[in-house]
């Protein structure tokens, strides 16, 4: 079971849960599942095409998924997935924007 | 009484001298990205002042008013939480005034910004990337509570000198530069200082002026400087009575305008500047006649990572 850490501003969408367990085995599947469990969260996580919004930064353990296998990064038992609010004119994840 | 040498110009006098470099930015027409007969679209180029962003206005006014009240001087550290333009603005001003500065920021703030702050002699304290700017604010508050003699905590989100800066400078500049013709003012909400102060100032000149507040369409977004008020801490200085209309702008819309503004207007602007123009264009499209004004808070020079993706 992987664990998704929800940043404070987004806990509004998860009934104030800070950590959510996921039995999915990729980042994409886990985020999709999260959006399905909490429908109000969906538009903040996924774009109209069902892709994870490019300005959301996701870490698996200590690593940015951009340095791993992007959305297809696999999740193991006890993996910690963190959603990080992007800040300050950098550190975003723009790789598939405007393509 | 100590004898003063030439280098020991009194702080109040240094503040007064610096004032000439704050604000007074040009207002230019946008004619190529959008054009409609009888509707004028005008933007203020806020990077054309000391510190190269709109935040120099509030940073200067916050510092000036704290000095005026005896709360800030060369023997105490100015402290605030900011990963962006406000920190850079404080850094330019405090360097000139000889006031030591401490900025609390999340560790994932961009390298460009950390470098600018370090170059200007700022002490940086990092908080976790997982906590965002909210955690940085909590850390700054903690430090200020623990060491009240060491720090003056500016707290831009609660400090009325933030919005008053815009009431005192941005609003009268727009009023004069449009020859009293402005009908609509459009701006995105961050600390909300720009929107609150400029709207208050303009509505005092003419209560019929409409104020349109912009927000990102989603909780997580790429519009640096903007807040999604539904999910963020609402700044204490926000005045909910001022907005005549609210509009949402998506990051994608803003990025498309970054490209168009570059190609058609010859200006390389930040995502929040492009988002302000996106909002202003939505407003202008609804009008048959009018003068719509917005701001470009800064240019693209601190957004290397965005530019790399867009161009
Ligand atoms: C680039 C940029 N855009 C917009 C804003 C929002 O302005 P304000 O804080 O006055 O609401 C800021 C400041 O926080 C900013 O740095």
């Amino acid at each position: 079971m992987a664990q998704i850490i929800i940043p404070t501003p987004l806990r509004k969408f998860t009934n104030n849960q800070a950590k959510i367990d996921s039995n999915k085995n990729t980042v994409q599947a886990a985020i999709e599942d999260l959006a399905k469990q909490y429908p109000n969260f969906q538009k903040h996580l996924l774009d109209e095409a069902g892709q994870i919004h490019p300005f959301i930064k996701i870490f698996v353990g200590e690593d940015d998924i951009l340095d791993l296998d992007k959305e297809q990064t696999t999740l193991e038992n006890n993996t910690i997935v963190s959603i990080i609010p992007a800040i300050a004119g950098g550190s975003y994840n723009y790789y598939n924007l405007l393509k | 009484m100590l004898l003063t040498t030439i280098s020991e110009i009194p702080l109040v006098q240094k503040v007064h001298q610096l004032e000439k470099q704050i604000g007074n930015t040009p207002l230019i027409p946008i004619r190529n990205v959008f054009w409609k007969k009888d509707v004028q679209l005008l933007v203020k180029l806020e990077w054309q002042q000391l510190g190269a962003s709109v935040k120099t206005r509030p940073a200067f006014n916050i510092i000036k008013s704290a000095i005026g009240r005896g709360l800030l001087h060369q023997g105490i550290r100015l402290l605030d939480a900011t990963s962006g333009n406000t920190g850079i603005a404080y850094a330019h001003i405090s360097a000139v005034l000889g006031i030591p500065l401490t900025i609390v920021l999340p560790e994932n703030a961009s390298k460009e910004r950390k470098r600018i702050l370090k170059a200007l002699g700022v002490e940086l304290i990092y908080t976790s990337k997982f906590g965002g700017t909210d955690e940085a604010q909590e850390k700054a508050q903690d430090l200020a509570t623990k060491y009240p003699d060491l720090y003056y905590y500016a707290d831009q989100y609660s400090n009325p000198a933030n919005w008053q800066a815009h009431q005192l400078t941005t609003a009268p500049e727009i009023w004069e530069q449009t020859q009293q013709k402005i009908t609509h003012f459009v701006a995105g909400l961050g600390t909300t200082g720009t929107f609150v102060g400029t709207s208050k100032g303009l509505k005092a000149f003419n209560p019929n002026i409409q104020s349109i507040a912009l927000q990102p369409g989603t909780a997580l977004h790429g519009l640096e400087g903007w807040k999604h008020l539904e999910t963020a801490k609402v700044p204490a200085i926000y005045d909910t009575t001022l907005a005549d209309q609210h509009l949402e702008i998506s990051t994608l819309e803003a990025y498309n305008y970054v490209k168009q503004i570059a190609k058609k207007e010859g200006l390389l602007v930040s995502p929040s500047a492009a988002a302000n123009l996106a909002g202003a264009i939505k407003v202008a499209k609804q009008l048959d006649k009018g003068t719509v004004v917005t701001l470009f808070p800064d240019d693209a020079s601190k957004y290397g990572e965005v530019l790399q993706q867009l161009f």
Side-chain angles (χ1 to χ4, degrees):
Chain A
M1 202 70 98
Q3 219 175 31
I4 309 178
I5 311 286
I6 310 295
T8 322
L10 301 183
R11 288 181 198 159
K12 190 178 171 164
F13 302 114
T14 58
N15 307 324
N16 283 322
Q17 302 243 58
K19 291 176 185 170
I20 290 169
D21 288 332
S22 176
N23 56 10
K24 303 290 171 193
N25 50 21
T26 64
V27 167
Q28 179 76 29
I31 298 294
E32 277 173 14
D33 190 45
L34 192 62
K36 210 190 267 169
Q37 284 181 57
Y38 301 100
N40 292 338
F41 206 171
Q42 174 147 355
K43 82 161 186 173
H44 302 282
L45 294 170
L46 302 171
D47 66 17
E48 275 142 39
Q51 295 285 315
I52 297 171
H53 275 307
F55 39 82
I56 296 179
K57 222 168 171 51
I58 297 177
F59 275 63
V60 166
E62 280 294 304
D63 299 312
D64 190 329
I65 60 167
L66 284 188
D67 301 326
L68 304 169
D69 292 324
K70 302 188 179 158
E71 303 92 329
Q72 296 314 319
T73 302
T74 53
L75 304 180
E76 324 245 309
N77 230 351
N78 303 323
T79 310
I80 304 281
V81 180
S82 310
I83 299 174
I84 297 189
I87 47 151
S91 313
Y92 303 122
N93 171 354
Y94 298 105
Y95 61 92
N96 57 359
L97 208 64
L98 296 180
K99 267 189 191 154
Chain B
M1 187 90 179
L2 288 169
L3 287 175
T4 54
T5 62
I6 291 173
S7 65
E8 289 169 336
I9 301 167
L11 193 53
V12 183
Q13 205 172 316
K14 283 189 181 174
V15 169
H16 182 68
Q17 284 167 353
L18 202 54
E19 196 143 28
K20 298 180 191 83
Q21 295 180 60
I22 316 295
N24 291 312
T25 55
L27 182 76
I28 63 144
I30 295 291
R31 294 201 183 97
N32 302 323
V33 171
F34 175 85
W35 189 87
K36 191 171 176 182
K37 194 172 174 287
D38 299 327
V39 179
Q40 255 209 315
L41 190 52
L42 303 164
V43 295
K44 265 177 103 54
L45 306 186
E46 288 293 300
W47 65 82
Q48 297 199 13
Q49 59 183 315
L50 178 74
S53 89
V54 69
K55 300 305 288 197
T56 303
R57 298 176 190 264
F60 178 75
N61 201 43
I62 283 170
I63 290 172
K64 183 183 167 183
S65 80
I67 290 171
R69 287 183 294 146
L71 300 171
L72 182 64
H73 45 79
Q74 285 146 333
I76 193 165
R77 300 194 76 88
L78 174 63
L79 168 72
D80 213 344
T82 154
S83 56
N85 284 324
T86 308
I88 293 171
Y90 286 142
H92 282 275
I93 297 162
S94 58
V96 178
L97 300 181
I99 292 172
L101 170 63
T102 300
I103 295 291
V104 186
L105 72 173
E107 61 184 342
N108 56 327
S110 80
K111 284 198 191 88
E112 283 159 316
R113 282 159 202 251
K114 290 179 195 163
R115 197 181 306 125
I116 295 170
L117 292 168
K118 278 187 193 150
L120 292 163
V122 182
E123 175 189 57
L124 301 178
I125 296 177
Y126 296 116
T127 51
S128 152
K129 62 177 171 286
F130 301 110
T133 37
D134 286 353
E135 191 180 314
Q137 253 174 283
E138 283 158 23
K139 175 77 185 173
Q141 179 67 67
D142 277 359
L143 283 172
T145 310
K146 252 188 221 154
Y147 308 105
D149 297 336
L150 211 59
Y151 296 111
Y152 167 70
Y153 179 33
D155 195 2
Q156 57 163 340
Y157 290 93
S158 314
N159 194 327
N162 175 350
W163 64 263
Q164 285 161 358
H166 294 283
Q167 185 187 39
L168 285 169
T169 66
T170 320
E173 286 173 33
I174 292 172
W175 185 244
E176 278 169 33
Q177 287 170 315
T178 61
Q179 281 131 13
Q180 294 85 46
K181 290 200 184 82
I182 174 173
T183 57
H184 295 75
F185 175 68
V186 183
L189 302 175
T191 66
T192 75
T194 305
F195 180 79
V196 168
T198 312
S199 295
K200 275 192 190 172
L202 289 171
K203 283 172 187 277
F205 290 125
N206 174 1
N208 294 326
I209 293 171
Q210 300 288 295
S211 285
I212 297 92
L214 309 177
Q215 279 186 65
T218 49
L220 298 178
H221 57 87
L223 305 174
E224 158 60 16
W226 282 28
K227 261 181 186 284
H228 183 253
L229 292 189
E230 195 195 330
T231 52
K233 277 191 197 164
V234 178
I237 59 169
Y238 188 50
D239 180 343
T240 53
T241 64
L242 286 169
D244 298 289
Q245 197 185 344
H246 290 270
L247 294 175
E248 287 186 354
I249 308 295
S250 78
T251 301
L252 196 62
E253 269 175 279
Y255 287 178
N256 278 319
Y257 275 116
V258 169
K259 289 179 147 183
Q260 287 195 48
I261 296 164
K263 296 224 167 77
K264 298 181 184 167
E265 305 291 343
L267 298 167
L268 263 175
V269 303
S270 63
S272 83
N276 270 353
L277 189 70
I281 288 174
K282 285 186 190 192
V283 171
K285 279 182 177 164
Q286 299 165 3
L287 305 177
D288 294 324
K289 209 176 153 210
T291 299
V292 182
V293 178
T294 191
L295 287 78
F296 284 164
D298 54 358
D299 70 6
S301 53
K302 292 183 300 288
Y303 302 85
E305 289 159 64
V306 181
L307 296 183
Q308 207 176 335
Q309 295 300 324
L310 291 185
F311 299 102

